[in-house]
Amino acid sequence: MDARDLLPMGEISRRSGFAASAIRYYEAEGLIEAHRSGGGQRRFERSVLRRLAFIRAASNVGLTIEEIREELARLPGNRTPTKADWHRISQHWRRRLDDQIAALERLKGGLDSCIGCGCLSLRSCAFSNAGDWAAERGPGAQLLPDTLRKPHPTRRGSSS
């Protein structure tokens, strides 16, 4: 590989739109690879830009880091997705998006009465929590559809 085919961190960050810290995180998580210069600086193959675009798209769909890792691991030779790969993977994402859209429609229909917070002060709640049974499930908006509940940002597996 020609050294001219390797891009420095700043160029990858600028072109991908990811902060350098996010790029280092994805490298640490094994989603992308970097080479080191003689001075120890990270250098990335151009294909990393496509992988980062893939990561961005997957994150926007709501996939966690673990799910993104699984999708990338399904690619032969750990390569960047081809059109055929993208079609196969996007079919899975379409189902996920359909589930999220349906959950959002249910939420939209119930917004006039409740946002699923578990509050007992409303007389009529689309996400009824009679007897405050949701309190045993934990903190947060327990009555939101699961597809709309994101992992806590400080817990491993978050999609942030």
Side-chain angles (χ1 to χ4, degrees):
M1 168 177 31
D2 190 328
R4 293 175 295 191
D5 292 333
L6 297 176
L7 302 173
M9 174 68 83
E11 181 75 4
I12 292 293
S13 178
R14 183 184 67 76
R15 291 181 61 185
S16 70
F18 282 105
S21 59
I23 295 168
R24 286 188 298 273
Y25 172 73
Y26 294 138
E27 180 190 8
E29 289 291 321
L31 302 180
I32 61 173
E33 292 180 8
H35 302 277
R36 298 295 177 156
S37 69
Q41 295 178 334
R42 288 175 174 85
R43 298 286 188 255
F44 299 89
E45 294 180 25
R46 289 181 191 280
S47 63
V48 164
L49 290 169
R50 290 184 66 200
R51 291 180 73 86
L52 288 169
F54 180 91
I55 291 167
R56 169 119 28 227
S59 295
N60 288 341
V61 171
L63 273 67
T64 64
I65 289 296
E66 286 79 14
E67 290 170 318
I68 293 169
R69 182 181 297 108
E70 289 171 11
E71 294 287 358
L72 289 171
R74 287 188 183 108
L75 300 174
N78 207 22
R79 64 169 165 71
T80 304
T82 63
K83 184 175 181 177
D85 295 324
W86 183 253
H87 179 74
R88 177 185 49 80
I89 290 169
S90 70
Q91 293 306 308
H92 163 74
W93 293 7
R94 287 176 191 271
R95 286 189 298 276
R96 186 181 191 118
L97 286 171
D98 286 342
D99 290 346
Q100 289 174 349
I101 289 168
L104 285 168
E105 288 293 333
R106 286 192 305 276
L107 177 61
K108 179 181 174 183
L111 279 178
D112 289 340
S113 62
C114 180
I115 61 168
C117 63
C119 172
L120 297 175
S121 64
L122 299 175
R123 287 195 174 119
S124 173
C125 178
F127 304 100
S128 181
N129 184 23
D132 198 19
W133 62 267
E136 294 182 21
R137 291 178 64 182
Q142 291 295 320
L143 301 178
L144 284 176
D146 288 341
T147 56
L148 299 179
R149 293 185 52 111
K150 299 217 181 228
H152 190 278
T154 60
R155 292 187 190 132
R156 185 143 177 88
S158 71
S159 59
S160 58

